[in-house]
Amino acid sequence: MLLRQRSARKMSDQSLLKPSELPNGNAHPVSQPRKGIRLNRVLGRIVPIILLIYIAYTYDLVVIRYAFRDLHGEQERTLTAILWLLPTHSLFLWSLRAYLRVFFAHDRLPASGATNYSGVISWLRARLGATFSDSDRAQHEDEQHIAQSVLTLLKASSCSDVRVKLCQPDGQPLRCWRDSCNGNLKAFRTRHCGDCGVCRVGFDHHCAWFDNDVTAAATLRPFIGFLISIPPLYLLGLGPLFPTAWRMLRRIQSFTSNDPGIRAAWWSKWYSWIGGPAFRWMVGFALGTSRWSNSTPGRMPHESPRAPVLVAVGAVFVFVATALATSSLTHLRYGKLTVDVERSKAFRKLQRQLEKVDNSQTRVDAIRLKMDSLAPGQHFKVSWTDRVSTQRQERVVSLSVYEGLLSHGSPWANLRRLLSNSTDTTPACSLSDTALRKVLEKASLLIPAP
């Protein structure tokens, strides 16, 4: 959870600076190379390996030792094993497909090289992974969506050629200067991922479980699906082994507590308490596992010290997955992605810091600059041509999250749009008609609804 929050907070303040606020009067900030080791990328290499090892050991215990050797070989209950393993494997394959769709997600391939796969990984990405939305294409489709909605809302208006574009507070186009973006225009709900070094449409967070980005336009749906599938898969796969795991735990605990060798080497030593009671029992359990296995022949194939360990580790995975899924769905009900929630938290934290700052104008200016980039709102440049005077006019208006900037109406509408099964720009990544109406009302092009 903390890793997801940390990755979602990594928004550069300098990427939104106005030219007048940049050092040395540059027209745009100089893109600085990323320095040091990024924790998310390191964990992104380690966590999938841990999951793979856990799956391998669990598959050996559940399928080979219990289902095949015990149910089929010892008890001759082949039909029971088949009826149990069929739904278990079906759910496992569905969960694996959702995981790989996020893990192998990739940018859209150019038309000229759409079928040119170099290497196994590239082939797997093209076959199994989702496709991230192209930022330029998202910008174009966002403008088309807004233009069509404006025509519907301003049928009888006295203005024509109305355009609504994302902008900075001074009306300048909203661009990203981080990494290799080089001033690319940013579409609505597009954020920069500091770990991948690119802007993503509908960016939610960079997840260490997959070493990839989770975005509303491409990978949020399989991400939520994978998290939701973990608890039932855990109960369906390891549920029949719960009694065995509990029995093994009690036997090993009794053996470890009464074994003279372990008592002399660990339990009677003062340093066994250095890590606390939990550490003391974990080390004692580990020391007694191998001795108990060697001194207890004739056990059933699945009666292994591995059973309680796999059940306990699986319970941790279930807890983390349930917490992530619950928090994500709760935020999605209000039309908010993880990055929106974390930016709001960072904004409130800066507000509290500003209240405690002494009379240091430099410090106050620095905090206010960060608050401007994290403010829970968005500026829009509305331009139109007056049909009477034929003059071009424009106005910059702002709309905050609390005014419905991110919401599409009801919680069900937010969930349906943010979890849509589309790899292109969806309505979830565009300004809703309700929010667009409020923008036009603030620009005095529409009369506020009573």
Side-chain angles (χ1 to χ4, degrees):
M1 182 76 71
L2 292 176
L3 292 174
R4 182 172 73 160
Q5 294 174 353
R6 185 180 302 171
S7 66
R9 287 178 184 171
K10 292 178 181 176
M11 297 292 129
S12 172
D13 301 326
Q14 197 178 28
S15 63
L16 300 179
L17 292 180
K18 296 181 286 186
S20 59
E21 297 171 335
L22 299 174
N24 303 325
N26 293 333
H28 59 79
V30 179
S31 179
Q32 298 293 335
R34 289 174 290 167
K35 299 179 180 179
I37 299 175
R38 303 190 74 92
L39 180 61
N40 255 359
R41 300 313 300 265
V42 174
L43 291 176
R45 304 295 194 274
I46 298 175
V47 173
I49 297 176
I50 294 176
L51 291 175
L52 183 62
I53 294 174
Y54 176 79
I55 291 173
Y57 276 106
T58 305
Y59 195 88
D60 173 69
L61 177 67
V62 173
V63 178
I64 298 177
R65 297 193 178 201
Y66 181 60
F68 181 72
R69 294 183 182 177
D70 185 42
L71 291 181
H72 171 69
E74 300 288 341
Q75 303 183 35
E76 297 183 354
R77 297 167 57 188
T78 306
L79 182 60
T80 302
I82 293 175
L83 294 178
W84 169 49
L85 290 180
L86 278 178
T88 304
H89 276 82
S90 299
L91 182 58
F92 171 73
L93 292 176
W94 186 89
S95 178
L96 180 63
R97 179 68 181 90
Y99 181 89
L100 294 178
R101 187 161 180 79
V102 182
F103 183 81
F104 286 124
H106 57 279
D107 293 314
R108 186 179 300 276
L109 296 173
S112 59
T115 58
N116 183 20
Y117 307 131
S118 57
V120 177
I121 299 299
S122 299
W123 185 86
L124 290 174
R125 286 186 181 276
R127 294 292 182 181
L128 301 177
T131 304
F132 291 119
S133 297
D134 180 70
S135 182
D136 294 335
R137 183 175 179 179
Q139 178 76 18
H140 176 68
E141 294 186 359
D142 193 24
E143 292 178 357
Q144 287 185 333
H145 169 76
I146 291 178
Q148 293 175 358
S149 300
V150 166
L151 289 176
T152 304
L153 294 172
L154 300 177
K155 287 183 178 179
S157 176
S158 60
C159 53
S160 61
D161 192 19
V162 180
R163 299 181 183 180
V164 180
K165 293 186 177 182
L166 217 59
C167 70
Q168 299 184 50
D170 61 352
Q172 295 296 320
L174 192 62
R175 300 178 182 273
C176 179
W177 297 100
R178 295 184 63 185
D179 298 313
S180 59
C181 287
N182 296 326
N184 291 337
L185 291 173
K186 297 183 68 173
F188 184 62
R189 304 206 79 162
T190 298
R191 299 291 183 186
H192 188 89
C193 175
D195 294 295
C196 296
V198 295
C199 284
R200 298 291 190 202
V201 180
F203 178 77
D204 186 86
H205 71 284
H206 184 96
C207 187
W209 283 44
F210 305 87
D211 190 27
N212 214 336
D213 291 332
V214 176
T215 68
T219 55
L220 184 58
R221 180 172 179 170
F223 171 75
I224 296 294
F226 171 75
L227 295 179
I228 293 177
S229 68
I230 290 180
L233 182 60
Y234 172 77
L235 294 176
L236 190 60
L238 287 174
L241 292 174
F242 285 172
T244 302
W246 178 249
R247 188 167 59 251
M248 293 299 99
L249 182 63
R250 290 179 61 88
R251 289 180 182 178
I252 296 175
Q253 178 186 0
S254 176
F255 175 84
T256 304
S257 302
N258 299 322
D259 184 76
I262 300 178
R263 182 180 296 275
W266 180 251
W267 298 117
S268 61
K269 302 297 183 181
W270 63 269
Y271 51 77
S272 64
W273 291 98
I274 292 179
F279 176 77
R280 186 170 186 261
W281 280 102
M282 288 175 60
V283 175
F285 181 85
L287 292 175
T289 297
S290 59
R291 292 193 181 187
W292 178 84
S293 300
N294 297 330
S295 62
T296 313
R299 292 177 285 111
M300 300 297 291
H302 60 286
E303 292 182 340
S304 167
R306 192 184 303 168
V309 176
L310 293 177
V311 169
V313 174
V316 174
F317 285 150
V318 169
F319 174 79
V320 175
T322 304
L324 288 176
T326 302
S327 64
S328 296
L329 291 174
T330 301
H331 298 150
L332 292 177
R333 290 178 66 251
Y334 301 99
K336 297 179 181 180
L337 299 172
T338 301
V339 66
D340 302 317
V341 176
E342 296 308 316
R343 285 171 64 90
S344 297
K345 291 181 180 178
F347 181 79
R348 291 193 295 268
K349 182 178 179 180
L350 289 174
Q351 282 182 320
R352 293 191 294 268
Q353 290 181 4
L354 187 61
E355 295 174 356
K356 300 177 181 179
V357 172
D358 297 331
N359 297 328
S360 175
Q361 191 61 35
T362 304
R363 178 62 176 163
V364 170
D365 292 342
I367 294 178
R368 289 189 182 277
L369 186 60
K370 292 182 179 180
M371 290 178 63
D372 290 340
S373 65
L374 294 172
Q378 192 66 66
H379 291 83
F380 297 91
K381 182 179 180 181
V382 184
S383 59
W384 68 93
T385 300
D386 189 277
R387 292 180 178 177
V388 179
S389 62
T390 67
Q391 292 182 352
R392 192 70 182 172
Q393 302 181 27
E394 63 181 37
R395 182 174 298 175
V396 176
V397 299
S398 63
L399 191 67
S400 70
V401 173
Y402 311 107
E403 296 175 301
L405 173 65
L406 305 178
S407 178
H408 285 267
S410 65
W412 171 247
N414 290 326
L415 288 172
R416 179 171 54 85
R417 297 198 180 196
L418 288 170
L419 297 177
S420 61
N421 191 23
S422 174
T423 57
D424 295 325
T425 304
T426 66
C429 298
S430 298
L431 197 64
S432 67
D433 291 342
T434 304
L436 180 59
R437 182 180 184 87
K438 292 182 179 180
V439 170
L440 296 176
E441 290 175 356
K442 289 192 172 187
S444 301
L445 297 182
L446 272 179
I447 300 176

